[in-house]
Amino acid sequence: MKQHDPEHIAANRAARSSLAEAFLSMQTAEEMRALLKDLTTPAELEALVDRWRVVKFLDEGRPYREIHDLTGVSVTTIGRVARFLEQGNGGYQLALERIKARADDTHTSDIETN
């Protein structure tokens, strides 16, 4: 069982910050994929990918059962992702907004160059 003494908690907090910095240091999607492959097991990475797919489908307003049929992700996990999308720490929502903004910018610049 993991330790929960104050020293261990402080070390974990510092490690989480360091991990966030490692993510931020990646400059391309390819670099991020390499880090994720090194950092996670194939099953862990698959779980992360599944959750992200669920986020995108939830954002489109698709029903849980349809998302399950499309992804194979359990309805329980879909519900958990939906709860964090609505009431979590804002990470899913921020990532969605930034990806949409980037896509809008790309689309706008494509129109302007044509």
Side-chain angles (χ1 to χ4, degrees):
M1 188 160 135
K2 289 196 171 204
Q3 300 173 10
H4 296 290
D5 60 80
E7 186 177 314
H8 185 76
I9 291 169
N12 274 350
R13 190 172 296 121
R16 279 193 302 273
S17 292
S18 177
L19 179 59
E21 291 296 325
F23 286 142
L24 286 171
S25 74
M26 298 297 102
Q27 296 180 358
T28 65
E30 187 57 38
E31 289 177 359
M32 181 59 82
R33 279 191 291 274
L35 177 60
L36 287 170
K37 285 180 182 179
D38 287 346
L39 189 61
T40 62
T41 66
E44 290 166 338
L45 186 55
E46 182 178 7
L48 293 173
V49 170
D50 284 348
R51 289 181 194 133
W52 185 244
R53 288 182 68 205
V54 167
V55 167
K56 288 183 165 190
F57 286 135
L58 288 169
D59 187 57
E60 293 171 2
R62 296 188 189 227
Y64 288 18
R65 183 59 53 195
E66 181 182 347
I67 296 170
H68 167 74
D69 292 343
L70 289 167
T71 65
V73 174
S74 74
V75 174
T76 302
T77 297
I78 294 166
R80 186 177 310 119
V81 170
R83 198 167 45 254
F84 275 90
L85 182 60
E86 293 299 319
Q87 303 166 4
N89 297 293
Y92 282 145
Q93 199 62 47
L94 184 58
L96 281 171
E97 289 169 10
R98 288 191 176 160
I99 288 171
K100 286 178 187 178
R102 191 176 310 139
D104 288 346
D105 289 347
T106 301
H107 180 70
T108 301
S109 63
D110 286 347
I111 291 171
E112 291 171 355
T113 58
N114 289 330

